[in-house]
Amino acid sequence: MCGRYAASRRPEDLAGIFEIEKWEPEESLEPDYNVAPTKEVYAVLDRPLKDVEDPKPVRQLRKLKWGLVPSWSKTPEGGARMINARAETVHEKPSYRRAFSTRRCILPADGYYEWVTGKQERDLEVEGRKKRPRKQPYFVTPADGSVFAMAGLYEFWRDRTLPDDHPQAWWVTCSVITTEAETTPLAVAPADGPHALADIHPRMPLMLTPDRWDDWLDPKRTDPDELTSLLAPPPAGLMRAFPVSTAVSNVRNNGPELLKELEAPEEGTLF
């Protein structure tokens, strides 16, 4: 699962990392250390430019709303519930399959937050029998400090209650693709805490390594069999995780202090 993440890199930095060809300064976002569903986020995508004769896809940095609204939806109200799409079923679910075919994106992040609970409660969650209460938050991020490139989907939704020239007539929304969490050891693990991502949560955002970026973003790649091969988990041992303040549990809190590593979990050892 991915329900909260941090994204503090400047658009200029992202432009260099992802070889962005087009982005609008007026779409710049402030660093966000507590990105929650329905917020606006940066997305990297390949798409032809409007009002240009050349149909060649252009690498763009766009501002999207997190929480996908399918194009056929009558209202946008369900977007807040569609923040994640499962890698195992994204190619067949009606809400995601069209976007998976031609509207894939990368959602750049510093890393994501996840809340740890005891093993018995996690087992019940996997079985769908109990909603896991949030406890000690951990921040998961690439061990080498590189960008956390989450595989995502985006979609367009037309608000038919507004005229064509209204600035909010079109919504562009996105969803993070998740996969099974790694059971292999973390590259850097806390001394008193989880030793693998699966110890934190059974799901994790699907991180795309740079060698997959071009293929994932290419809108001309539409064959489901070819695309599903891109959903393979990244190589093991790339991530680190550490406990952070429970202040991140409140979406109103936002600042670099949320990423400060704690010496020990605030609520005691769960392992």
Side-chain angles (χ1 to χ4, degrees), residues 3 59 62 65 88 104 106 109 135 174-175 193-194 199 205-206 219 229-230 233 235 243 251 261:
R59 181 72 49 90
R62 298 284 297 273
K65 185 183 290 288
E88 298 86 348
R104 298 175 301 277
I106 291 175
K135 293 187 178 179
C174 60
S175 184
D199 293 335
L206 176 63
S229 67
L230 300 176
V251 297
E261 181 174 0

Side-chain angles (χ1 to χ4, degrees), residues 120-130 201-203:
Q120 184 177 5
E121 286 182 317
R122 289 199 306 274
D123 290 344
L124 290 175
E125 184 191 19
V126 171
E127 297 171 9
R129 294 166 53 193
K130 183 179 180 180
H201 192 277
R203 306 289 296 179

